[in-house]
Amino acid sequence: MLRQLCKSYPLCAKYSTSQLASKPTSRLQMLRNKLREDANSSMLVDTFGRYHTYLRISLTERCNLRCTYCMPANGVELSKKEDILKTDEIIKIAELFINEGVNKIRLTGGEPTVRKDIIDIVAQLKSIKGLETLAMTTNGITLTRQLPKLQRAGLDLLNISLDTLKPERFEKFTLRRGWMKVMASIDLAIQLGYNPVKVNTVIMRDFNDDELVDFVELTENKPIDLRFIEYMPFSGNEWNTEKMVSFTEMKQIIRKKYPEFKKLPDKPNDTSKAYHVPGFVGQVGFITSMTNNFCSSCNRLRITADGNLKVCLFEGKGEVSLRDALRNNATTDDLRTLIHNAVLNKKKQHAGMLNLSHMENRPMILIGG
């Protein structure tokens, strides 16, 4: 039994068998308590041995598109301006997490580029010692006029969301025009040397599943890492199993045209499963949150635009307000304890797609990608 426990809790290797076996009826709790002691004095590690080195920060709840999987049909009630994190609060929170071992930050929204001080935020974050990678996920609508400045400020990686290659379908899905602007942003990112440019595509049945092969062919001559995302349930997006196209089905569709479509090695903590068509410049990834989750290697935490820490994208309850703690003059040690305790309460995995569809959670636009 002890060996089985240690497979689930890799950090137990540092403790002797006699230590862990001293109280046979409470081995699991003892091991968790040991890990809690370690976590309180070191990196952001949960009771399942997962080190958290990747922080996603939502800069705003506002967006210039109305994508149906993200924005409920009847809209959302946005937070008051004063409830959104200020720039100095974002930097303070980022510094806290970087000091606890985070080395990658991704800026999300809403749409992060609608925030007027986005260039300044990127520059300030990039100047923090210990941050290795600064990334951003954007819909690309205004990116062509911002990307050169963002790159000079220190933006390392870029994900651009695009769910269709058909302009008329884009307008129907987003309730806005702008398909050409997004395509121009992808081309500019390639010209500026982002390699790869990641393109995020949520696949939905009877909406864009007929474009899977067309999207794959974008990678033939361009350094694009195309990422097909299984449709996920959030409050107000009318998710159901009939709309979701699974990872397995997507592969089957692609292999009808490209039977040589093959697996590539994945890196530790990758959220996507990498594939490519031999001879193509770019590659394809599948983010399989619903049918083949990657919770066991999750190293991600999220800060919402209103300053809440979410330890799991699908955790509807249990958010912790770092904004309130900051504004109530919490000390650095108080904030560290708040963060560590939240991480220690992270569950082993999410509840599964059928359960998630009935659980309370924010709409995606209020979480951040």
Side-chain angles (χ1 to χ4, degrees), residues 265-280:
D266 295 320
K267 298 176 183 176
N269 305 118
D270 271 355
T271 58
S272 66
K273 297 171 174 61
Y275 285 75
H276 83 139
V277 177
F280 280 21

Side-chain angles (χ1 to χ4, degrees), residues 216 225-227 247-248 251-252 254-255 258-280 282-288 292 294 297:
V216 170
D225 182 352
L226 187 66
R227 297 150 69 83
F247 161 52
T248 299
K251 285 191 299 179
Q252 290 172 346
I254 294 166
R255 282 179 171 150
Y258 294 105
E260 68 274 30
F261 190 60
K262 62 182 288 189
K263 185 77 181 69
L264 293 172
D266 295 320
K267 298 176 183 176
N269 305 118
D270 271 355
T271 58
S272 66
K273 297 171 174 61
Y275 285 75
H276 83 139
V277 177
F280 280 21
Q283 65 181 57
V284 176
F286 297 89
I287 298 180
T288 62
N292 193 342
F294 35 84
S297 62

Side-chain angles (χ1 to χ4, degrees), residues 7-269:
K7 285 181 180 179
S8 298
Y9 298 84
L11 292 183
C12 76
K14 67 190 291 185
Y15 304 111
S16 69
T17 301
S18 60
Q19 283 179 300
L20 296 175
S22 59
K23 296 181 180 180
T25 60
S26 59
R27 291 174 182 172
L28 177 59
Q29 189 57 49
M30 181 180 179
L31 181 52
R32 285 191 166 188
N33 288 341
K34 284 284 189 182
L35 292 172
R36 285 176 186 271
E37 291 172 11
D38 284 356
N40 283 334
S41 61
S42 61
M43 298 177 69
L44 294 169
V45 59
D46 64 19
T47 57
F48 301 96
R50 296 174 293 201
Y51 286 90
H52 295 78
T53 58
Y54 183 4
L55 179 67
R56 303 169 75 99
I57 303 176
S58 176
L59 299 183
T60 179
E61 296 173 350
R62 299 182 180 278
C63 187
N64 43 17
L65 297 180
R66 295 292 182 269
C67 302
T68 56
Y69 60 81
C70 183
M71 173 78 78
N74 58 353
V76 295
E77 183 177 350
L78 300 177
S79 300
K80 297 178 181 178
K81 183 177 179 180
E82 58 267 27
D83 291 336
I84 298 298
L85 287 175
K86 301 173 184 176
T87 301
D88 63 328
E89 292 171 331
I90 292 170
I91 303 306
K92 174 67 174 177
I93 288 171
E95 288 176 334
L96 278 167
F97 279 88
I98 291 168
N99 287 337
E100 301 306 306
V102 164
N103 56 35
K104 179 179 180 179
I105 288 177
R106 177 174 296 278
L107 303 177
T108 69
E111 169 50 40
T113 61
V114 305
R115 183 146 174 162
K116 294 180 180 179
D117 58 350
I118 179 66
I119 307 297
D120 185 44
I121 290 173
V122 168
Q124 289 194 53
L125 288 172
K126 192 61 178 177
S127 70
I128 301 174
K129 184 178 180 181
L131 181 63
E132 297 174 7
T133 305
L134 182 58
M136 183 173 72
T137 296
T138 172
N139 61 31
I141 291 292
T142 64
L143 196 60
T144 52
R145 68 173 183 264
Q146 295 167 303
L147 189 53
K149 291 181 181 178
L150 286 165
Q151 187 178 52
R152 288 194 294 271
L155 186 67
D156 299 304
L157 299 177
L158 191 63
N159 287 45
I160 300 175
S161 298
L162 178 66
D163 299 310
T164 178
L165 296 173
K166 299 180 178 182
E168 68 282 359
R169 187 176 281 182
F170 178 92
E171 188 172 342
K172 179 180 178 181
F173 192 57
T174 66
L175 305 182
R176 297 290 187 274
R177 295 179 180 177
W179 182 84
M180 288 294 295
K181 293 179 180 179
V182 181
M183 296 303 293
S185 292
I186 293 171
D187 288 339
L188 177 60
I190 292 171
Q191 292 170 21
L192 291 177
Y194 285 96
N195 187 358
V197 175
K198 294 184 178 180
V199 175
N200 293 348
T201 304
V202 177
I203 296 297
M204 297 172 62
R205 193 178 310 282
D206 298 327
F207 167 68
N208 61 354
D209 54 324
D210 60 334
E211 297 185 62
L212 277 162
V213 170
D214 296 334
F215 269 110
V216 170
E217 289 173 348
L218 275 184
T219 70
E220 183 173 3
N221 298 306
K222 296 181 178 181
I224 289 175
D225 182 352
L226 187 66
R227 297 150 69 83
F228 292 130
I229 303 171
E230 290 181 337
Y231 183 36
M232 297 179 281
F234 295 98
S235 295
N237 75 347
E238 301 180 355
W239 181 94
N240 64 59
T241 54
E242 296 301 316
K243 291 182 181 179
M244 195 201 72
V245 184
S246 72
F247 161 52
T248 299
E249 185 178 351
M250 285 189 262
K251 285 191 299 179
Q252 290 172 346
I253 292 170
I254 294 166
R255 282 179 171 150
K256 287 180 182 178
K257 175 71 179 289
Y258 294 105
E260 68 274 30
F261 190 60
K262 62 182 288 189
K263 185 77 181 69
L264 293 172
D266 295 320
K267 298 176 183 176
N269 305 118

